[in-house]
Amino acid sequence: MDQYPPAVREEVLSVRPGITDRASIEFRNENEMLAGSADPERTYVEEVLPIKQKYYLAYVRSHSLLGDLKIILDTVVAIATK
């Protein structure tokens, strides 16, 4: 979160964290991806972080019960098909 601009950080932190989210599903193999990078920190900051930030902001701006159920279902599918 320290990499986020203050306004974005404040908005993302305005909701309670959950046990799963779209970013966790999409980047479930993040460690493997970063391990294959010549500069993992740079790859994270320049490639992964902007996408995660978009997911977090999209969730904060439009979360709903149906959306939460979809995330839970997608998480179960991701775990089951790993």
Side-chain angles (χ1 to χ4, degrees):
M1 292 307 254
D2 63 330
Q3 300 283 335
Y4 288 11
V8 172
R9 182 174 39 243
E10 185 176 324
E11 188 173 358
V12 169
L13 293 176
S14 71
V15 298
R16 292 178 57 182
I19 58 172
T20 187
D21 58 38
R22 181 67 45 208
S24 296
I25 298 165
E26 297 299 323
F27 288 97
R28 64 186 175 274
N29 298 322
E30 180 180 315
N31 287 338
E32 294 168 15
M33 182 183 89
L34 294 176
S37 171
D39 187 348
E41 184 173 348
R42 182 176 179 174
T43 299
Y44 182 80
V45 170
E46 293 180 359
E47 297 178 28
V48 175
L49 192 62
I51 297 169
K52 284 185 168 187
Q53 183 175 305
K54 282 177 38 180
Y55 284 136
Y56 297 149
L57 287 173
Y59 178 80
V60 169
R61 293 173 180 166
S62 65
H63 66 280
S64 66
L65 178 59
L66 186 59
D68 287 349
L69 292 174
K70 173 109 173 77
I71 290 171
I72 292 168
L73 177 62
D74 290 348
T75 300
V76 170
V77 169
I79 291 168
T81 61
K82 185 177 182 183

